[in-house]
């Protein structure tokens, strides 16, 4: 068995680069109320990665990277409870194939600070959060893997469950930097518990 090469790459997050999130035509995640109120700068077109990923992938490849980290926008692939968007899953598989065509090994994060607004502003305080997250992850990994294999590609090897899992509880319920309601040590502890359980599941 040969060792995997050291992965040297760049990292992105769907909310930061894809564009079209929390717009009338796009997916709606838990940052939508802050977008609408002006508390944060609206996503807008961002870097238009969803529509034109080639430009950023070419730049990553040109810098000598051999890996590209991106995330799946949960609200895009599951826009409503129990509803899945096959076209969004198709598109993520296409983008991952584009990575590999440029010699970039994909590293995919399943939750990078966002979740669908339908799951509630305070998802990580909800005892159902681990179940919801597990269901999303299983479906997403399976669906994208099948699409890659149908295109002659191996499934994604490197998955990250939750980006910086300690940040979400602290930034939401201790510092007030992320969307949520209320704050305090009990909320932080509950959010940590549910986030850790979701990661383990």
């Amino acid at each position: 068995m040969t060792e995997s090469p050291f992965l040297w790459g760049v990292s992105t997050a769907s909310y930061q680069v894809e564009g079209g999130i929390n717009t009338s035509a796009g997916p709606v995640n838990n940052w939508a109320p802050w977008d609408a109120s002006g508390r944060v700068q609206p996503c807008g077109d961002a870097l238009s990665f969803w529509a034109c990923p080639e430009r950023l992938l070419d730049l990553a490849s040109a810098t000598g990277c051999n890996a590209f980290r991106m995330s799946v926008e949960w609200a895009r692939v599951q826009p409503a409870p129990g509803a899945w968007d096959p076209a969004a899953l198709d598109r993520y598989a296409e983008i991952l194939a584009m990575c590999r065509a440029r010699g970039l090994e994909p590293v995919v994060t399943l939750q990078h600070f966002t979740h669908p607004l339908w799951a509630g502003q305070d998802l990580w305080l909800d005892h159902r959060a681990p179940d919801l997250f597990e269901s999303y992850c299983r479906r997403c990994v399976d669906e994208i893997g099948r699409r890659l294999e149908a295109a002659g590609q191996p499934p994604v090897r490197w998955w990250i469950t939750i980006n910086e899992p300690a940040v979400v509880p602290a930034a939401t319920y201790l510092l007030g930097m992320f969307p949520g309601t209320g704050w305090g040590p009990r909320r932080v502890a509950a959010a940590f518990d549910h986030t850790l359980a979701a990661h383990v599941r």
Side-chain angles (χ1 to χ4, degrees):
M1 177 182 289
T2 59
E3 291 286 328
S4 296
F6 181 80
L7 296 180
W8 182 263
V10 294
S11 179
T12 63
S14 57
Y15 183 59
Q16 297 167 336
V17 300
E18 284 185 2
I21 296 171
N22 297 334
T23 64
S24 59
V28 180
N29 67 29
N30 58 306
W31 288 79
W34 281 21
D35 282 0
S37 70
R39 185 157 181 183
V40 293
Q41 182 175 341
C43 174
D45 292 334
L47 297 178
S48 300
F49 183 72
W50 186 250
C52 305
E54 297 88 347
R55 182 173 62 88
L56 292 184
L57 296 177
D58 287 343
L59 286 171
S61 179
T63 62
C65 293
N66 67 353
F68 187 84
R69 183 180 164 199
M70 55 180 275
S71 66
V72 173
E73 181 62 44
W74 183 355
R76 194 183 287 282
V77 299
Q78 192 180 9
W84 297 87
D85 185 342
L89 292 161
D90 289 345
R91 183 60 170 164
Y92 277 118
E94 289 173 0
I95 293 171
L96 293 168
M98 291 180 197
C99 289
R100 289 194 170 129
R102 290 161 174 79
L104 300 168
E105 180 68 19
V107 179
V108 184
T109 306
L110 289 159
Q111 202 270 2
H112 197 133
F113 297 160
T114 67
H115 60 263
L117 187 59
W118 60 256
Q121 194 70 55
D122 293 304
L123 169 66
W124 299 111
L125 297 181
D126 191 328
H127 70 279
R128 299 172 303 161
D131 289 338
L132 290 172
F133 187 68
E134 180 185 7
S135 173
Y136 153 67
C137 290
R138 286 184 181 278
R139 182 72 176 261
C140 195
V141 170
D142 178 64
E143 295 276 356
I144 290 174
R146 287 195 297 105
R147 284 163 168 77
L148 286 170
E149 289 180 328
Q153 295 268 339
V156 173
R157 181 177 182 188
W158 304 105
W159 291 98
I160 297 170
T161 54
I162 300 169
N163 179 70
E164 298 175 355
V167 170
V168 173
T172 306
Y173 301 110
L174 187 62
L175 303 174
M177 295 169 55
F178 286 9
T181 58
W183 64 278
R186 289 183 182 276
R187 286 176 176 254
V188 174
F192 265 116
D193 184 54
H194 294 145
T195 303
L196 179 60
H199 163 72
V200 171
R201 292 270 285 275

